[in-house]
Amino acid sequence: MAGLEDLYREIILDHYRSPRNRGDLPTPPAVRAEGFNPLCGDEIVVYLELGDGEGDERVIENIRIGGQGCSISQASASMMSSSVKGHSVATARHLMKAFKSMMSIHEQQLGDGDDDESDHEHGDSDADADDVNLGDLDALRGVVKFPVRIKCATLSWNTLDQAIDESD
Amino acid sequence: MIEQVTQDGFTTAAVPHKFEAGTPPIAEIVGLGAAVDYLSSIGMERIREHEVALTAYALRTLHERFGDRLTVHGPSEPAMRGGVFSLALAEVHPHDISQILDQHGVCVRAGHHCAKPLMKVLGVGATARASVYLYNDEADIDALADALAEAESFFAL
């Protein structure tokens, strides 16, 4: 049985207690996207400001996080913001894909048929997660052992995805 | 429910019978009867007395151990409430409470309990909710309080 230390790693608790990039940005020039987890009430607001340029070449000049929710959702949002800030949209998408791949439930890890009713997306391949250096984000790996909490961890990434879409 | 069935088609009965095909819930009806017999043999008034006594013990215990750090939503008078406690522990989100309680063998529901307007009135996003009934005793309340203390120390700044 997975223990609490698998879920609540020290680095996660640190991001929860001292969230990075907390706050908001004026819109415009920033865009604002809201994500909700209707099952538990968690809420993430992403403010995103992209630099000049074309499409995925644009750099994430600034990002701020609002909202409220459990330690996993808020820590994941904080870690997400730190990992993409100053990087291109292409890099952010790459991290997003790798992170979601890490958060995918694999049947062999879960045992027999413990089916989360979630709509989580399965990554294209395990290689996605292995090829990318996730840095601090790797601390969230243990969340996959707690299927009901996976949505907490992926909420901020889905909200970032929306914000990028709205920046186009 | 059908009206006609042939080799190459069928027609349905008129509404509402159209939607009422199948075996009636016989097992459920028998089960309900057994539950009524069981509760009647104990006596509903005695069940309620047990529930109120346990609720009083819970409110007292939780207040003694956590003071103002723990909010139990709802009336403070045990007779005015059922054996259900919607809890808010300072600085610990309900889903984190439920995760830690779960690891200590205490099952609660965390979330908005399909009552979002009430959450808004209470000024919270979610609560952790414990329930007690006939089959619980004071040891269960103590286990809840112990697990809440674990949650509090785990998430202490």
Side-chain angles (χ1 to χ4, degrees):
Chain A
M1 184 177 176
L4 284 177
E5 65 279 4
D6 290 318
L7 182 64
Y8 297 118
R9 303 272 301 277
E10 195 52 48
I11 193 164
I12 297 174
L13 294 174
D14 179 61
H15 276 267
Y16 176 54
R17 289 164 182 152
S18 312
R20 323 294 199 265
N21 303 305
R22 186 85 191 166
D24 52 25
L25 292 171
T27 54
V31 297
R32 180 180 188 277
E34 274 181 312
F36 294 98
N37 186 338
L39 287 175
C40 64
D42 284 356
E43 172 195 339
I44 297 285
V45 185
V46 171
Y47 296 87
L48 190 68
E49 198 175 328
L50 301 182
D52 296 333
E54 288 290 313
D56 283 7
E57 290 171 10
R58 290 169 297 174
V59 167
I60 296 174
E61 303 272 5
N62 211 346
I63 181 168
R64 288 284 164 77
I65 304 294
Q68 52 84 31
C70 71
S71 58
I72 301 299
S73 71
Q74 302 302 304
S76 178
S78 170
M79 294 163 95
M80 179 277 286
S81 70
S82 301
S83 68
V84 302
K85 189 175 175 182
H87 294 283
S88 68
V89 170
T91 302
R93 285 195 202 277
H94 209 55
L95 278 171
M96 185 185 306
K97 197 173 170 191
F99 184 78
K100 286 196 170 185
S101 171
M102 183 172 84
M103 285 296 123
S104 300
I105 299 179
H106 300 284
E107 285 73 13
Q108 66 271 23
Q109 289 174 328
L110 257 189
D112 37 355
D114 188 4
D115 190 25
D116 181 29
E117 85 280 18
S118 75
D119 58 1
H120 64 268
E121 295 166 37
H122 287 262
D124 292 344
S125 75
D126 290 352
D128 289 332
D130 296 337
D131 290 347
V132 177
N133 180 7
L134 285 165
D136 284 3
L137 295 171
D138 193 67
L140 286 160
R141 186 178 291 277
V143 173
V144 81
K145 296 177 188 169
F146 299 81
V148 298
R149 305 302 293 275
I150 291 173
K151 279 188 165 178
C152 311
T154 53
L155 177 62
S156 59
W157 288 94
N158 292 332
T159 313
L160 172 67
D161 201 16
Q162 285 175 45
I164 291 173
D165 284 348
E166 283 169 31
S167 301
D168 288 335
Chain B
M1 192 75 76
I2 53 92
E3 187 182 65
Q4 282 292 341
V5 178
T6 62
Q7 286 282 2
D8 51 7
F10 70 95
T11 57
T12 62
V15 173
H17 306 291
K18 175 180 178 176
F19 300 114
E20 294 182 353
T23 308
I26 294 166
E28 290 83 343
I29 293 164
V30 173
L32 177 63
V36 169
D37 287 346
Y38 169 68
L39 294 176
S40 300
S41 73
I42 297 165
M44 293 301 282
E45 285 179 12
R46 291 178 62 208
I47 293 171
R48 176 63 184 153
E49 274 170 34
H50 178 80
E51 190 179 67
V52 172
L54 209 49
T55 298
Y57 180 77
L59 294 176
R60 194 167 64 241
T61 302
L62 294 174
H63 183 70
E64 278 171 12
R65 292 193 53 176
F66 299 96
D68 292 340
R69 304 193 306 284
L70 183 79
T71 303
V72 181
H73 295 292
S76 54
E77 170 57 43
M80 295 294 291
R81 52 190 302 152
V84 179
F85 314 101
S86 268
L87 307 170
L89 190 56
E91 306 296 329
V92 189
H93 191 275
H95 282 101
D96 294 316
I97 294 176
S98 74
Q99 192 82 54
I100 305 237
L101 263 52
D102 174 55
Q103 298 281 312
H104 289 83
V106 178
C107 301
V108 300
R109 180 176 171 187
H112 50 65
H113 314 291
C114 303
K116 282 202 153 187
L118 176 61
M119 297 295 115
K120 198 170 168 68
V121 169
L122 294 174
V124 297
T127 71
R129 191 180 70 187
S131 326
V132 296
Y133 188 51
L134 180 60
Y135 32 70
N136 293 107
D137 58 22
E138 293 183 355
D140 294 324
I141 303 294
D142 293 339
L144 168 67
D146 289 346
L148 284 169
E150 291 286 338
E152 193 174 40
S153 78
F154 192 90
F155 282 98
L157 291 175

